[in-house]
Amino acid sequence: CWKLGYISYAADGNASCNSFGASYKLSGEGLSVSPIAATKRACAEANRMRQESAFLDLLGRTARFDIRPDGALLLETSAGQT
């Protein structure tokens, strides 16, 4: 009997001003994201640039996930940040 320890996938998207891509691994409720590659366009608004940087930073530190009853995906770091 073979047991798969993790499953590896690829993800990509738009963080606000920039596109990004990364691979990720699932194991039970664990989730790890590889280093994220992103384009380096500047956002026209400084607030959007800060928000995008924070999003990509937290995404790269994701350790767990949950799917809420309403279908929303919740990502959480090992420090409990969502």
Side-chain angles (χ1 to χ4, degrees):
C1 175
W2 287 90
K3 182 175 180 183
L4 187 60
Y6 64 86
I7 301 173
S8 193
Y9 297 97
D12 59 64
N14 187 301
S16 186
C17 303
N18 290 285
S19 300
F20 71 92
S23 62
Y24 63 95
K25 294 179 183 177
L26 295 172
S27 76
E29 289 183 7
L31 173 66
S32 63
V33 179
S34 72
I36 298 169
T39 57
K40 299 291 184 188
R41 292 183 294 242
C43 295
E45 302 162 12
N47 257 358
R48 285 182 66 193
M49 192 81 232
R50 282 191 294 276
Q51 179 183 13
E52 180 179 274
S53 292
F55 166 73
L56 291 173
D57 175 59
L58 288 171
L59 181 62
R61 294 188 292 127
T62 297
R64 291 180 291 281
F65 72 95
D66 188 28
I67 300 175
R68 300 294 182 154
D70 65 358
L73 174 64
L74 178 69
L75 303 176
E76 185 177 329
T77 69
S78 59
Q81 294 172 296
T82 58

